[in-house]
């Protein structure tokens, strides 16, 4: 079974079966992927700690039966917020990426944009954190080829832009989305 080394940002995770977890990751090479980790929910798992949400990781992926399996993982950086608001903003950035980046398709610039937005969220104040989320939504919208939203750029009120993106994404995408 061939393996593929990739850099990834862990967006979220959920449990599958008793001891397995599935992680949604954003990769430079393949866009958003769901990768399975056998035994990650066990206390003795050596891979689970590397793949926590809001982490940049290097993965060794193996193609399984219709899904990717993680053969190895090394955490490069953990984007962990010190306060609850920062963690919420990191989750909003992850939600924007999950909604706008195609599954199993490379989207040049998406990985770097999400990583930069996470760095801005951790380094900024609450106002600049909201602006970082709004700017990422705008940038990914344009990079993904959906065309420019009807507003030329995020307005000074990031909450207004996020409400605009909420309503527009909900009308265009099949899955419901909530950014702000």
């Amino acid at each position: 079974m061939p393996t593929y080394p990739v850099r990834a940002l862990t967006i979220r995770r959920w449990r599958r079966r008793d001891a397995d977890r599935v992680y949604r990751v954003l990769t430079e090479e393949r866009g958003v992927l769901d990768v399975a980790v056998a035994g990650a929910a066990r206390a003795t798992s050596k891979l689970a700690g590397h793949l926590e949400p809001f982490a940049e990781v290097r993965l060794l992926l193996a193609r399984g039966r219709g899904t990717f399996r993680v053969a190895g993982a090394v955490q490069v950086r953990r984007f962990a917020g010190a306060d609850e608001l920062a963690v919420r903003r990191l989750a909003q950035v992850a939600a924007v990426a999950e909604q706008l980046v195609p599954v199993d398709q490379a989207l040049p610039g998406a990985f770097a944009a999400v990583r930069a937005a996470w760095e801005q969220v951790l380094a900024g104040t609450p106002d600049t954190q909201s602006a970082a989320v709004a700017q990422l939504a705008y940038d990914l919208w344009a990079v993904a080829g959906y065309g420019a939203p009807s507003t030329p750029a995020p307005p000074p009120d990031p909450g207004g832009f996020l409400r605009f993106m909420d309503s527009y994404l909900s009308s265009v995408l099949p899955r419901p989305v909530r950014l702000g």
Side-chain angles (χ1 to χ4, degrees):
M1 185 178 325
T3 57
Y4 310 97
V6 296
R7 280 180 46 194
L9 298 171
T10 307
I11 296 175
R12 68 183 181 108
R13 69 170 186 202
W14 61 93
R15 254 184 125 127
R16 184 178 75 176
R17 298 193 193 123
D18 287 337
D20 299 347
R21 280 192 182 143
V22 176
Y23 292 87
R24 181 152 292 158
V25 296
L26 170 65
T27 65
E28 284 182 301
E29 298 84 4
R30 304 199 65 147
V32 173
L33 293 176
D34 290 339
V35 297
V37 182
R42 292 188 185 123
T44 58
S45 174
K46 294 181 180 172
L47 293 176
H50 296 284
L51 291 166
E52 289 304 306
F54 316 130
E56 181 180 355
V57 292
R58 286 184 296 161
L59 299 175
L60 194 59
L61 299 179
R63 186 76 167 177
R65 295 180 216 132
T67 184
F68 285 100
R69 292 215 160 286
V70 176
V74 175
Q75 190 176 93
V76 176
R77 178 168 182 204
R78 176 105 168 100
F79 295 91
D83 61 345
E84 183 181 338
L85 181 61
V87 172
R88 263 195 320 207
R89 296 291 185 230
L90 290 171
Q92 286 176 337
V93 169
V96 168
E98 190 176 1
Q99 292 293 328
L100 294 179
V101 177
V103 175
D104 205 8
Q105 294 178 10
L107 185 62
F111 181 88
V114 171
R115 189 177 189 286
W118 277 354
E119 288 174 355
Q120 281 182 303
V121 165
L122 289 181
T125 64
D127 292 335
T128 59
Q129 290 173 351
S130 294
V133 176
Q135 186 64 48
L136 175 75
Y138 186 81
D139 292 345
L140 283 182
W141 187 263
V143 168
Y146 294 117
S150 62
T151 59
D157 170 28
F161 183 74
L162 289 177
R163 284 190 296 278
F164 161 74
M165 290 300 285
D166 277 344
S167 63
Y168 193 78
L169 289 174
S170 297
S171 68
V172 177
L173 297 173
R175 298 178 288 186
V177 63
R178 183 85 179 110
L179 304 177

